[in-house]
C-alpha cells in the first residue's frame, strides 16, 4: 500500500563533479545549533516515463530507487513551487498498480518504460536546533545520469538539496538560502534531477533541423488559432465521435500568451478546465478533500462553455463531448452528493437539543452514509480506470489542439462574448420568474432547481468573459454566485428531506423511534420556506444590476 509524504525542498547548483566541497558553515543560520554529519548514501534510481515523456512534461516523476533509508518506488506530484507530494510504494520488479493508476490521466494506454538512470553519492547533513530537533536535511549530491531510452547520452553534475523537516516552518528555508547566497551558491535552473538529466543527455539535433522544427511549430500554432469550417476541428477534422477517439494522448500546441479574439478567450478558459480535470485525477483517486468537487466543477465549466459559446465553438462537434462531460459529472456527483448530504444531516443533528434526539439516530446515520460512500468510492475509481473516461480525456486533448472554431471566433470579444452572456442571463430571468409564479411544492422545487443550474451556467459564462469584459462580467459572476448559493440552499433542503424520509422508514422497520427524523424534516422544510421568501428580493437586486 502506497503512503504519502509532503516534500518541501529547494535545489541549488553545486561545483562541477570532483570540485571542492560546496557548503559554507551552516551553524551560522539562525535557529541552527548543530550540523550533524550523517555520512554518504549511495543511491541508484531508475526513472520511468512514456516514450514521449508525458510525465516529465507535466513535472511528474516516477522512479524505482535503492539505497538510503527510503528505498522503493516514488511518485512525485507537484503541489506548488518547491512543494511536492511524494507517494511511496515498496520495492518490486514492476511499477506498482497504485502508482500507475495515479498517472493514468497523463499516460492513458501508453507503456511506462525506463528513461534515465541516476547514480548519486549523497553526502547528508542534518540541521538541528538546541533540543536536537531536525530542522532540515542538507545534502550534496554527486550525480551521474545515463540515458536509457531516446538516446544513449550521459552527464555528471553536483547539486545541493535542502529539504525541510516534517511539519517545519517553510520560512526556515529562506534563512538557509540567505546563507547559501552569501557563499555564491544559486538556485538550480532545473526543477528536478530528472529534468536536468533529460536535458543534458538528450540527443543534439543539427542547427538547421532545430530551426526547421521551431518554424514548423510556430506555423502550426498560428494555424490552430484560425477558425475552420463549421463542423471541423481546425485542421484535424471532427472529434465528435468520442467512442472512436484514439488512445494516444494529443500534444496541444501552446496558445498565444495574450488572448485577442473571442475565440482566444474562450479557448483559454476551455483549456484551463481540461487541464484541471487531468491534474485533479490523482487527487480524486487519493480521496484528497474537495478534489471530487473541484473536478466536477471543471467538467461543468467546460460543458457550460460549449453550450454558452456555440457561436464560437461549433456545437455539432462539442455537443457529443458535452454528453460525455455530463456523464462524468454525474459519476463524480455520486460521491460528492453523498458527502454534502451527510454533512448537512450531521450538522442538523448536532444542532438539535439533546431532548429531541430519541433512538440511535447518529449510529444509523453513520451506517447509512458509510455504506453508500464505500460503494460510490469503488465505483468512481472504476470509472476513472475505464475506457470511456480515458477516451474523453483524449478527445478533449484533440479538441483544444484543433478547436472547431466558427466565423465569430475571429471577431473582437466585446461584442460576441457579451451577447452570449446576456442570452444566458435572460434564460435565468425566465426561470426565476416561472419559479416565483408557482405555489410552494414539488413543481416550484423543480423550477428553482432549474433556475439554479442556469445561474451556474451563466456564472461560468461570465467567468470566461471576465478577462475580455472586465468588471461588468466580474460583477455578474458575483451576482450569479449569490443566486446559485441561495437556490442551492433550497435544493439542499429538498435532498435532505428525501434522505430523512428514507432514514425514518429504515428506523421504523427496525423498531426504532422515528421522532427525531420528523423534527429534522420540519426544520429542513422551514429552511426551504425561508429561501422562497428571500428569493424575490434577491432577484430584484440582481435584475436591477443587469447583465454585461
Amino acid at each position: 500500500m502506497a503512503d504519502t509524504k509532503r516534500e518541501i525542498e529547494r535545489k541549488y547548483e553545486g561545483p562541477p563533479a570532483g570540485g571542492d566541497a560546496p557548503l559554507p558553515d551552516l551553524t551560522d543560520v539562525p535557529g541552527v545549533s548543530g550540523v550533524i554529519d550523517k555520512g554518504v548514501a549511495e543511491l541508484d534510481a531508475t526513472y520511468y516515463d512514456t516514450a514521449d515523456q508525458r510525465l516529465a512534461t507535466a513535472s511528474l516523476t516516477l522512479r524505482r530507487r535503492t539505497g538510503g533509508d527510503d528505498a522503493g518506488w516514488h511518485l512525485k506530484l507537484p503541489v506548488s513551487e518547491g512543494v511536492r507530494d511524494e507517494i511511496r510504494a515498496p520495492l518490486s520488479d514492476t511499477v506498482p498498480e497504485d502508482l500507475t493508476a495515479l498517472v493514468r490521466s497523463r499516460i492513458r494506454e501508453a507503456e511506462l518504460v525506463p528513461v534515465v538512470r541516476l547514480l548519486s553519492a549523497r553526502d547528508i547533513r542534518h540541521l538541528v536546533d538546541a533540543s536536537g530537533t531536525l530542522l532540515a536535511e542538507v545534502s550534496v549530491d554527486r550525480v551521474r545520469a545515463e540515458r536509457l531510452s531516446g538516446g544513449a547520452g550521459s552527464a555528471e553534475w553536483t547539486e545541493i538539496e535542502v529539504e525541510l523537516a516534517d511539519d517545519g516552518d517553510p520560512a526556515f528555508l529562506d534563512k538557509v538560502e540567505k546563507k547559501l547566497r552569501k557563499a555564491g551558491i544559486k538556485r538550480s535552473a532545473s526543477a528536478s534531477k530528472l529534468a536536468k538529466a533529460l536535458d543534458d543527455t538528450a540527443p543534439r539535433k543539427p542547427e538547421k533541423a532545430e530551426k526547421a522544427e521551431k518554424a514548423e511549430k510556430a506555423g502550426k500554432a498560428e494555424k490552430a488559432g484560425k477558425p475552420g469550417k463549421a463542423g471541423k476541428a481546425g485542421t484535424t477534422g471532427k472529434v465528435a465521435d468520442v467512442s472512436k477517439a484514439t488512445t494516444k494522448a494529443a500534444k496541444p500546441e501552446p496558445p498565444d500568451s495574450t488572448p485577442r479574439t473571442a475565440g482566444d478567450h474562450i479557448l483559454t478558459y476551455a483549456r484551463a478546465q481540461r487541464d484541471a480535470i487531468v491534474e485533479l485525477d490523482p487527487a480524486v483517486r487519493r480521496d484528497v478533500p474537495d478534489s471530487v468537487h473541484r473536478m466536477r466543477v471543471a467538467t461543468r465549466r467546460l460543458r457550460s462553455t460549449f453550450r454558452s459559446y456555440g457561436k464560437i465553438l461549433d456545437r455539432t462537434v462539442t455537443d457529443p463531448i458535452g454528453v460525455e462531460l455530463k456523464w462524468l459529472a454525474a459519476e463524480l456527483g455520486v460521491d460528492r452528493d453523498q458527502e454534502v448530504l451527510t454533512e448537512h444531516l450531521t450538522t442538523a443533528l448536532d444542532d438539535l437539543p439533546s431532548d429531541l434526539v430519541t433512538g440511535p439516530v447518529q449510529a444509523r446515520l453513520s451506517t447509512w452514509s458509510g455504506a453508500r460512500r464505500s460503494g460510490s468510492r469503488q465505483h468512481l475509481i472504476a470509472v476513472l480506470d475505464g475506457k470511456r473516461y480515458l477516451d474523453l480525456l483524449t478527445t478533449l486533448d484533440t479538441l483544444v489542439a484543433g478547436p472547431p472554431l466558427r466565423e465569430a471566433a475571429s471577431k473582437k470579444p466585446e461584442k460576441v462574448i457579451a451577447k452570449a452572456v446576456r442570452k444566458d442571463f435572460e434564460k435565468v430571468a425566465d426561470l426565476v420568474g416561472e419559479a416565483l409564479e408557482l405555489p410552494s411544492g414539488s413543481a416550484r422545487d423543480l423550477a428553482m432547481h432549474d433556475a439554479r443550474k442556469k445561474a451556474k451556467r451563466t456564472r461560468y459564462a461570465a467567468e470566461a468573459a471576465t478577462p475580455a469584459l472586465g468588471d461588468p462580467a466580474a460583477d455578474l459572476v458575483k451576482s450569479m454566485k449569490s443566486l446559485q448559493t441561495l437556490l442551492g440552499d433550497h435544493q439542499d433542503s429538498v435532498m435532505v428531506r428525501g434522505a430523512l424520509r428514507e432514514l425514518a422508514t429504515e428506523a421504523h422497520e427496525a423498531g426504532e423511534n422515528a421522532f427525531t427524523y420528523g423534527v429534522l424534516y420540519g426544520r429542513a422544510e422551514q429552511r426551504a420556506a425561508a429561501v422562497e421568501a428571500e428569493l424575490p428580493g434577491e432577484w430584484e437586486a440582481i435584475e436591477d444590476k443587469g447583465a454585461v
Side-chain angles (χ1 to χ4, degrees):
M1 180 65 68
D3 57 11
T4 304
K5 179 181 184 299
R6 177 60 57 89
E7 179 184 81
I8 303 176
E9 67 177 16
R10 297 180 186 178
K11 297 179 182 293
Y12 303 87
E13 294 182 1
D20 295 335
L23 288 178
D25 182 6
L26 297 176
T27 56
D28 293 341
V29 175
V32 174
S33 293
V35 177
I36 303 174
D37 188 344
K38 305 297 289 186
V40 177
E42 299 293 337
L43 308 176
D44 187 344
T46 299
Y47 287 76
Y48 286 70
D49 203 338
T50 60
D52 53 358
Q53 296 178 14
R54 298 178 196 177
L55 299 187
T57 300
S59 300
L60 278 69
T61 61
L62 174 62
R63 73 188 179 201
R64 180 186 188 276
R65 190 168 76 181
T66 59
D69 58 5
D70 63 347
W73 286 91
H74 305 151
L75 171 64
K76 297 193 179 187
L77 305 173
V79 176
S80 59
E81 184 179 359
V83 182
R84 295 186 292 183
D85 278 343
E86 183 176 273
I87 319 298
R88 297 176 177 178
L91 277 176
S92 61
D93 293 335
T94 57
V95 183
E97 284 296 326
D98 287 353
L99 301 190
T100 301
L102 292 177
V103 298
R104 188 159 286 129
S105 67
R106 300 287 184 182
I107 67 172
R108 315 291 161 79
E109 301 298 330
E111 182 184 4
L112 289 168
V113 296
V115 291
V116 167
R117 183 185 185 191
L118 296 184
L119 301 171
S120 304
R122 170 164 290 182
D123 192 357
I124 305 169
R125 294 165 179 80
H126 282 182
L127 307 185
V128 298
D129 64 14
S131 66
T133 300
L134 179 65
L135 300 172
E137 179 177 286
V138 180
S139 63
V140 179
D141 295 345
R142 291 179 170 81
V143 186
R144 174 176 173 78
E146 299 173 354
R147 190 84 171 208
L148 301 178
S149 65
S154 64
E156 294 185 7
W157 71 90
T158 299
E159 71 176 34
I160 299 166
E161 279 190 12
V162 182
E163 182 176 347
L164 190 67
D166 293 345
D167 302 320
D169 182 359
F172 178 70
L173 295 181
D174 295 332
K175 299 175 183 178
V176 177
E177 181 163 310
K178 183 177 181 181
K179 181 67 175 179
L180 295 177
R181 282 204 311 267
K182 286 183 177 180
I185 298 170
K186 61 182 180 179
R187 289 273 196 108
S188 174
S190 299
S192 66
K193 287 184 174 67
L194 176 61
K196 181 172 178 59
L198 290 173
D199 185 58
D200 288 358
T201 64
R204 296 303 175 191
K205 297 179 181 179
E207 185 176 348
K208 288 184 178 180
E210 283 191 358
K211 288 182 178 179
E213 184 177 298
K214 288 180 181 179
E216 182 182 359
K217 287 184 177 180
K220 285 182 179 179
E222 182 180 357
K223 197 170 185 179
K226 296 179 180 178
K229 295 180 181 179
K232 298 293 181 180
T235 60
T236 61
K238 288 190 177 183
V239 295
D241 189 352
V242 177
S243 66
K244 295 180 180 178
T246 174
T247 56
K248 181 179 180 181
K251 282 191 170 183
E253 295 292 344
D256 291 339
S257 58
T258 305
R260 295 180 177 84
T261 66
D264 289 340
H265 283 278
I266 300 311
L267 284 174
T268 296
Y269 188 77
R271 285 189 182 99
Q273 308 320 313
R274 185 279 312 266
D275 291 348
I277 293 170
V278 173
E279 290 167 5
L280 283 165
D281 179 290
V284 171
R285 292 174 185 271
R286 294 164 56 205
D287 204 14
V288 173
D290 204 38
S291 59
V292 172
H293 172 63
R294 290 166 59 204
M295 188 174 184
R296 192 183 189 191
V297 167
T299 65
R300 286 175 163 173
R301 280 178 168 144
L302 188 52
R303 181 168 176 259
S304 293
T305 299
F306 292 160
R307 292 169 65 85
S308 295
Y309 293 105
K311 295 292 185 182
I312 295 173
L313 295 170
D314 183 11
R315 288 191 59 175
T316 64
V317 176
T318 61
D319 276 0
I321 303 173
V323 170
E324 296 303 289
L325 288 168
K326 183 179 181 180
W327 160 78
L328 179 58
E331 296 290 3
L332 291 164
V334 172
D335 203 34
R336 172 62 182 173
D337 290 346
Q338 185 61 36
E339 283 182 17
V340 173
L341 190 54
T342 301
E343 288 172 6
H344 284 307
L345 289 167
T346 301
T347 300
L349 183 59
D350 290 344
D351 288 343
L352 275 186
S354 59
D355 59 341
L356 294 180
V357 180
T358 60
V361 182
Q362 183 62 64
R364 177 161 295 282
L365 175 57
S366 297
T367 301
W368 173 83
S369 175
R372 288 182 164 222
R373 178 156 168 74
S374 175
S376 63
R377 278 296 302 169
Q378 294 172 5
H379 176 73
L380 179 56
I381 297 303
V383 167
L384 297 183
D385 286 336
K387 185 176 185 299
R388 185 175 181 179
Y389 167 70
L390 297 178
D391 283 351
L392 172 58
L393 296 185
T394 300
T395 299
L396 293 177
D397 286 346
T398 305
L399 178 79
V400 298
L405 298 175
R406 300 184 68 189
E407 185 177 352
S410 61
K411 296 180 179 179
K412 292 183 178 180
E414 291 80 7
K415 181 178 180 180
V416 179
I417 292 179
K419 184 177 180 180
V421 175
R422 284 195 296 270
K423 185 177 179 181
D424 277 350
F425 182 80
E426 290 168 3
K427 292 179 180 178
V428 175
D430 290 342
L431 288 170
V432 172
E434 178 185 334
L436 291 175
E437 291 176 358
L438 293 169
S440 294
S442 59
R444 174 178 268 196
D445 291 345
L446 182 59
M448 292 180 70
H449 183 45
D450 288 342
R452 173 177 175 255
K453 291 189 290 185
K454 191 63 66 175
K456 192 180 298 184
R457 173 175 157 183
T458 305
R459 171 189 168 188
Y460 297 153
E463 283 179 355
T466 297
L469 305 182
D471 289 342
D475 290 341
L476 184 58
V477 170
K478 294 177 183 177
S479 294
M480 289 297 99
K481 185 175 181 180
S482 177
L483 178 63
Q484 177 189 331
T485 299
L486 184 65
L487 295 173
D489 289 343
H490 186 273
Q491 179 62 16
D492 288 342
S493 169
V494 173
M495 298 301 293
V496 164
R497 281 178 279 162
L500 286 168
R501 282 194 295 269
E502 181 180 334
L503 285 163
T505 299
E506 291 180 2
H508 177 73
E509 292 175 350
E512 298 167 6
N513 192 323
F515 169 78
T516 300
Y517 303 106
V519 174
L520 292 173
Y521 189 98
R523 290 192 167 200
E525 207 167 33
Q526 289 177 346
R527 285 196 295 274
V531 170
E532 292 179 23
E534 186 180 348
L535 180 58
E538 175 79 11
W539 177 246
E540 184 179 357
I542 291 173
E543 216 170 15
D544 286 344
K545 294 179 183 178
V548 295

